[in-house]
């Protein structure tokens, strides 16, 4: 049995988890900082680092306690070392290094983006990853930092075939909520309010999908763009206010607006993913990242997967937002391949070029 301790601090969650044999989540602890950042309408990196420092030891100990394990029973420590906010990442990395040195444990630096993809396989059978009938596999990573499409072949070679050229999907939802003064983070608030609104009431653009007869260049075929929807929202809100003689949007107008806006974002994600499925003859899709918590998006992707006759692996909601279980799970594969990090392990802020995934 291999138990890995995972540590995550790339953004505004301080998290620690223990995962057995790469997929069985024994404990999964998260200290969220949402309340601290809410008043700023977004994550403040220095504040995040300070909060991580306060919480990291508590969270790690609590993960060990819940798993009923001591550090002597742990096989390795894996830690997110990028992409993410540099000051925040450094807290997790330095803590993991200290613990690994003190307890003489292997240290493994893990890519947060791969972590999100791997979250779809937690509490799942790992033979999914060996099943040739699942490949090519297309992973849609939709979070506050990413809207990316990764094409994965059965030998593990992988390529980012599409990404956002401006805002990420989660960012588009967060910024919309800020613009309408609804609170932070926007995704869950917009989902909740949308349930009471009419998603067909207003028509927001579907950038880079060819909607409205707008041609899409070859290089943007699988790319996303969300800033246009956000700008359309800004003008839409101004127009409504003007029509209301300067009064703010009525409750119904607000609900219909967020429902229509969410629909536009989901529609773009669904259209782009399944355009790529068709083009690359993908056999399965993965949906992951914070935005994948959204029930309407989950239903839409599941329905399209049935229509296109592909398997859908949706990360469980509890593993969609940032967590350390996905980091611990991934660590198992590095340990297995003896691909360990050394004490020079450093943080990086941006997603590096990807040529293969570590879990196949
Ligand atoms: O994966 P995550 O926790 O952090 C990043 O790595 O970015 O994703 C956070 C993002 C936020 O933009 C948040 O608004 C969005 O996920 N999100 C949602 C929902 N829950 C979180 N978006 C839509 N619907 C939700 N239910
Ligand atoms: Zn994330």
């Amino acid at each position: 049995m291999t138990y890995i301790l995972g540590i995550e601090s790339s953004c505004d969650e301080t998290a620690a988890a223990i995962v057995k044999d790469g997929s069985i989540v024994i404990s999964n602890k998260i200290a969220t900082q949402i309340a601290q950042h809410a008043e700023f309408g977004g994550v403040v990196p220095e504040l995040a680092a300070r909060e991580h420092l306060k919480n990291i030891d508590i969270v790690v100990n609590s993960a060990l306690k819940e798993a009923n394990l001591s550090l002597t029973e742990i096989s390795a420590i894996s830690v997110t070392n990028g992409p993410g906010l540099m000051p925040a990442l450094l807290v997790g990395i330095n803590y993991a290094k200290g613990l690994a040195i003190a307890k003489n444990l292997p240290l493994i630096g893990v890519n947060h983006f791969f972590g999100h993809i791997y979250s779809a396989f937690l509490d799942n059978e790992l033979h999914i990853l060996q099943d040739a009938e699942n490949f090519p596999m297309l992973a849609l990573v939709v979070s506050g930092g990413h809207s990316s499409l990764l094409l994965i072949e059965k030998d593990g070679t992988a390529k980012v075939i599409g990404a956002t050229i401006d805002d990420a999907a989660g960012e588009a939802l967060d910024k919309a909520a800020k613009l309408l003064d609804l609170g932070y983070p926007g995704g869950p608030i917009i989902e909740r309010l949308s349930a009471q609104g009419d998603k067909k009431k207003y028509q927001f653009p579907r950038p880079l999908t060819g909607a409205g007869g707008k041609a899409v260049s070859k290089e943007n075929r699988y790319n996303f763009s969300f800033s246009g929807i956000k700008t359309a929202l800004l003008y839409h809100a101004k127009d409504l206010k003007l029509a209301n003689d300067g009064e703010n949007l009525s409750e119904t107008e607000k609900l219909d607006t967020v429902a229509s806006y969410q629909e536009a974002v989901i529609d773009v994600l669904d259209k782009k993913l399944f355009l790529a499925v068709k083009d690359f003859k993908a056999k399965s899709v993965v949906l992951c990242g914070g935005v994948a918590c959204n029930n309407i998006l989950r239903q839409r992707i599941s329905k399209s997967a049935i229509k296109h006759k592909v398997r859908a692996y949706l990360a469980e909601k509890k593993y969609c937002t940032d967590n350390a279980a996905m980091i611990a799970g991934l660590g198992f594969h590095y340990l297995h391949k003896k691909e360990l990090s050394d004490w020079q392990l450093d943080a990086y802020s941006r997603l590096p070029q990807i040529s293969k995934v570590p879990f196949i």
Side-chain angles (χ1 to χ4, degrees):
M1 262 173 311
T2 308
Y3 292 105
I4 310 270
L5 165 65
I7 295 174
E8 155 67 38
S9 72
S10 67
C11 192
D12 58 348
E13 325 277 3
T14 322
I18 315 275
V19 171
K20 187 174 118 186
D21 297 337
S23 69
I24 305 158
V25 181
I26 308 288
S27 65
N28 186 28
K29 293 287 179 188
I30 303 171
T32 182
Q33 307 172 3
I34 285 177
Q36 281 86 340
H37 299 284
E39 65 173 297
F40 303 101
V43 180
V44 183
E46 304 302 333
L47 179 61
R50 258 203 316 271
E51 290 297 312
H52 287 316
L53 264 176
K54 266 197 239 162
N55 293 325
I56 196 153
D57 200 43
I58 300 166
V59 170
V60 168
N61 285 319
S62 143
L64 285 163
K65 193 166 170 217
E66 190 173 291
N68 204 14
L69 290 169
S70 73
L71 277 168
T72 52
E73 293 161 284
I74 298 294
S75 306
I77 300 175
S78 63
V79 60
T80 306
N81 68 317
L85 306 169
M86 294 298 275
L89 286 163
L90 287 170
V91 176
I93 295 172
N94 288 328
Y95 183 91
K97 277 185 188 171
L99 209 55
I101 292 173
K103 301 292 172 186
N104 200 20
L105 287 170
L107 176 73
I108 301 161
V110 163
N111 176 319
H112 183 84
F113 179 78
F114 286 149
H116 273 302
I117 297 170
Y118 194 74
S119 69
F121 309 115
L122 291 172
D123 290 342
N124 225 323
E125 300 292 336
L126 284 189
H127 63 71
I128 292 170
L129 298 168
Q130 255 65 57
D131 185 348
E133 292 193 10
N134 277 327
F135 298 89
M137 180 182 269
L138 263 169
L140 174 62
V141 186
V142 271
S143 67
H146 300 283
S147 300
S148 301
L149 273 172
L150 186 74
L151 180 70
I152 308 168
E153 303 291 346
K154 68 172 183 293
D155 63 355
T157 54
K159 190 178 168 199
V160 175
I161 57 160
T164 181
I165 57 170
D166 40 60
D167 293 345
E171 207 177 347
L173 295 167
D174 294 340
K175 285 181 177 170
K178 193 171 178 179
L179 201 140
L180 296 170
D181 228 358
L182 300 175
Y184 171 86
I189 299 170
I190 289 181
E191 175 171 21
R192 187 166 41 80
L193 296 177
S194 290
Q196 305 160 56
D198 176 3
K199 64 181 185 189
K200 295 202 176 109
K201 180 72 190 241
Y202 305 115
Q203 188 63 24
F204 287 104
R206 268 68 164 165
L208 304 185
T209 62
K214 275 193 193 144
V216 182
S217 69
K218 210 170 144 213
E219 66 180 34
N220 281 330
R221 188 166 174 84
Y222 312 112
N223 281 342
F224 300 94
S225 167
F226 292 105
S227 73
I229 316 183
K230 190 188 61 194
T231 309
L233 173 67
L234 183 72
Y235 287 114
H236 164 84
K238 271 190 184 156
D239 288 349
L240 277 182
K241 204 170 167 179
L242 218 62
N244 291 348
D245 290 331
E247 293 290 322
N248 275 331
L249 277 61
S250 71
E251 205 49 31
T252 315
E253 284 169 342
K254 226 178 212 179
L255 295 174
D256 292 345
T257 296
V258 291
S260 303
Y261 185 87
Q262 175 182 273
E263 180 64 14
V265 172
I266 291 176
D267 209 24
V268 169
L269 294 173
D270 178 52
K271 283 206 168 80
K272 286 280 181 172
L273 173 60
F274 286 94
L275 171 71
V277 161
K278 231 171 81 197
D279 286 0
F280 291 94
K281 298 188 173 49
K283 300 286 186 344
S284 69
V285 294
V286 166
L287 178 67
C288 59
V291 181
C293 284
N294 189 288
N295 284 313
I296 311 296
L297 175 64
R298 297 173 79 86
Q299 286 159 12
R300 183 76 59 85
I301 300 297
S302 302
K303 210 168 139 193
S304 296
I306 294 170
K307 190 172 140 206
H308 286 82
K309 298 188 175 62
V310 297
R311 294 178 185 167
Y313 296 105
L314 275 53
E316 271 187 57
K317 278 204 218 172
K318 62 180 170 192
Y319 304 134
C320 282
T321 44
D322 287 348
N323 64 86
M326 62 190 197
I327 304 305
L330 211 48
F332 172 80
H333 296 271
Y334 285 97
L335 186 67
H336 195 66
K337 293 178 188 167
K338 298 195 171 56
E339 290 175 16
L340 306 176
S341 304
D342 60 25
W343 307 121
Q344 311 302 318
L345 181 70
D346 212 349
Y348 55 89
S349 60
R350 300 183 72 83
L351 190 67
Q353 181 99 26
I354 289 173
S355 57
K356 65 193 271 285
V357 291
F359 47 80
I360 292 174

